[in-house]
Amino acid sequence: MSGRVGDLSPKQAEALEQFRARIQDILPQLPAQHDHFLLRWLRARNFNVQKSEAMLRKLGRNVESITMIYDVEGLGLKHLWKPAIETYGEILQMFEDNYPEGLKRLFVIKAPKLFPVAYNLIKHFLSENTRQKIYILGANWQEVLLKYIDAEELPAYYGGKLTDPDGDPRCRTRINHVGPVPPSYYVRDHVKVDYEQCMIVSRGSSQQLDYEILFPGCVLRWQFASEGADIGFGVFLKAKKGEWKKAAQMEEVVPSQRYNTHLVPEDGSLTCERPGVYVLRFDNTYSIFQAKRISFTVEVLLPDRLQSPQSNGKPSGNVPEEENSSQTQ
């Protein structure tokens, strides 16, 4: 049985009755009293009435808005996989559509240089109202957090005083892990990628695609797949756009190698530290019999200045003067 209203086993129905009886003293203060609401807590603890009651008494207050902290330390190019970014954007939209005004503020801390690029990929999923609640903090992030969150409610790892009973400054025992994700929920093998372009690389030849990068810090991102067999791929740098050069005459930026993209699509990116013309070269010179059809998408992601969307050009870390928040919810 699913454990939802209308689909309860006799044992689950009995647990629901016991649960309701045990929480009569706090039931009027809860945001809802119906079975749909109470069953959420029972399902979260596998219908263990005692554990469900403990969880509800600890966390069952009505939360009208949430203050969030995003620690993005370690964010790298590997996290910019396009299907994942799009899925994350869809999740953000779902929360906006179904939980309006649920976010009070969101603080982004430890943002690397790549963060503005990542933020550009998802910000179009957000409403302007939500964007105004996002603050990208600078080196003084601990000081700013303490202006909005009481030290007693902020983990010591982030500059507060809160620790686990064992002294863990990250408060990891407060995180309720649900266990391994079943392989049946994996989606990577089922993600369908829609490529923007395609071309034929003739046998014994290569094809080059030029992308002019005007500003340092831009990210060049690519996805491609081949039909029938593998294909060679590398990224090179040259001075002028439009002039054709052999691979040996250009600076090799991403070493050329063969990819089995007829089996697994390739997804990669490069932070362009220097302006210039970056050449994506598809190499089929080693194949004397077979031409290759390549489907691909290439994007140039422009960097923004690292600042809060609400700071109006002020340095990152500026946040509006507001009352101190008593706790992070």
Side-chain angles (χ1 to χ4, degrees):
M1 312 298 285
S2 68
R4 301 181 183 276
V5 173
D7 192 26
L8 298 176
S9 68
K11 188 174 181 180
Q12 290 171 337
E14 182 182 355
L16 176 60
E17 291 183 12
Q18 293 177 7
F19 185 49
R20 182 179 287 278
R22 292 175 67 124
I23 60 170
Q24 283 298 313
D25 59 319
I26 63 170
L27 194 61
Q29 287 78 47
L30 295 178
Q33 294 81 40
H34 48 67
D35 289 350
H36 291 277
F37 177 78
L38 298 183
L39 284 170
R40 288 170 48 191
W41 304 90
L42 286 166
R43 289 196 302 271
R45 290 296 179 261
N46 295 319
F47 281 82
N48 182 309
V49 176
Q50 184 176 358
K51 290 183 178 180
S52 299
E53 180 186 0
M55 182 183 182
L56 176 59
R57 290 185 182 277
K58 181 179 179 182
L59 302 175
R61 61 187 181 276
N62 186 22
V63 178
E64 295 184 354
S65 61
I66 301 172
T67 293
M68 301 181 68
I69 301 172
Y70 269 25
D71 183 345
V72 292
E73 184 178 25
L75 180 73
L77 292 174
K78 64 182 179 181
H79 300 114
L80 300 186
W81 187 50
K82 188 175 181 181
I85 291 289
E86 292 174 348
T87 299
Y88 186 58
E90 291 171 1
I91 292 173
L92 291 176
Q93 270 193 317
M94 178 190 71
F95 274 97
E96 283 200 333
D97 292 342
N98 294 280
Y99 304 95
E101 295 300 311
L103 178 67
K104 187 173 186 179
R105 61 179 70 91
L106 187 155
F107 296 115
V108 178
I109 64 173
K110 304 180 186 178
K113 292 181 180 180
L114 185 67
F115 177 78
V117 175
Y119 182 69
N120 276 345
L121 293 174
I122 64 169
K123 69 181 182 181
H124 66 277
F125 290 101
L126 306 174
S127 67
E128 182 61 28
N129 187 44
T130 297
R131 293 186 198 180
Q132 296 297 318
K133 298 176 182 179
I134 299 174
Y135 308 105
I136 304 171
L137 305 185
N140 65 333
W141 58 267
Q142 287 188 341
E143 176 186 340
V144 175
L145 291 182
L146 287 170
K147 289 181 179 180
Y148 289 84
I149 304 171
D150 286 347
E152 301 295 335
E153 299 292 338
L154 183 66
Y157 183 74
Y158 293 116
K161 298 180 180 179
L162 185 64
T163 63
D164 274 346
D166 61 0
D168 183 0
R170 294 175 179 262
C171 302
R172 279 172 282 204
T173 63
R174 293 172 178 262
I175 302 173
N176 296 315
H177 296 282
V178 297
V181 176
S184 60
Y185 285 13
Y186 294 174
V187 299
R188 181 174 185 127
D189 295 337
H190 307 288
V191 173
K192 184 177 184 289
V193 179
D194 294 321
Y195 298 100
E196 295 179 354
Q197 302 180 65
C198 64
M199 66 181 179
I200 303 295
V201 185
S202 302
R203 58 188 179 89
S205 69
S206 65
Q207 289 276 12
Q208 298 182 7
L209 304 173
D210 289 359
Y211 292 89
E212 186 172 17
I213 303 298
L214 301 177
F215 309 103
C218 291
V219 173
L220 186 62
R221 188 170 66 168
W222 57 83
Q223 293 175 287
F224 63 90
S226 58
E227 295 181 13
D230 63 357
I231 188 70
F233 176 80
V235 181
F236 298 82
L237 179 62
K238 65 182 182 181
K240 295 181 180 180
K241 186 176 182 180
E243 64 175 3
W244 189 90
K245 286 190 174 183
K246 295 181 180 180
Q249 297 173 317
M250 298 183 290
E251 178 184 345
E252 190 175 50
V253 181
V254 175
S256 185
Q257 65 182 81
R258 291 166 66 171
Y259 292 89
N260 291 317
T261 49
H262 60 302
L263 302 175
V264 179
E266 178 64 17
D267 184 290
S269 53
L270 169 72
T271 300
C272 304
E273 301 293 348
R274 293 176 288 161
V277 179
Y278 287 78
V279 180
L280 274 59
R281 180 176 182 269
F282 291 95
D283 179 19
N284 197 32
T285 56
Y286 56 86
S287 179
I288 59 175
F289 297 111
Q290 187 175 7
K292 311 289 174 60
R293 179 183 175 89
I294 310 298
S295 301
F296 63 94
T297 296
V298 181
E299 298 173 282
V300 177
L301 308 177
L302 301 177
D304 280 350
R305 287 188 301 168
L306 189 58
Q307 63 178 32
S308 165
Q310 193 166 344
S311 63
N312 296 323
K314 298 177 182 178
S316 61
N318 283 333
V319 289
E321 291 294 332
E322 295 184 26
E323 75 287 351
N324 284 355
S325 173
S326 60
Q327 59 188 354
T328 304
Q329 294 184 332

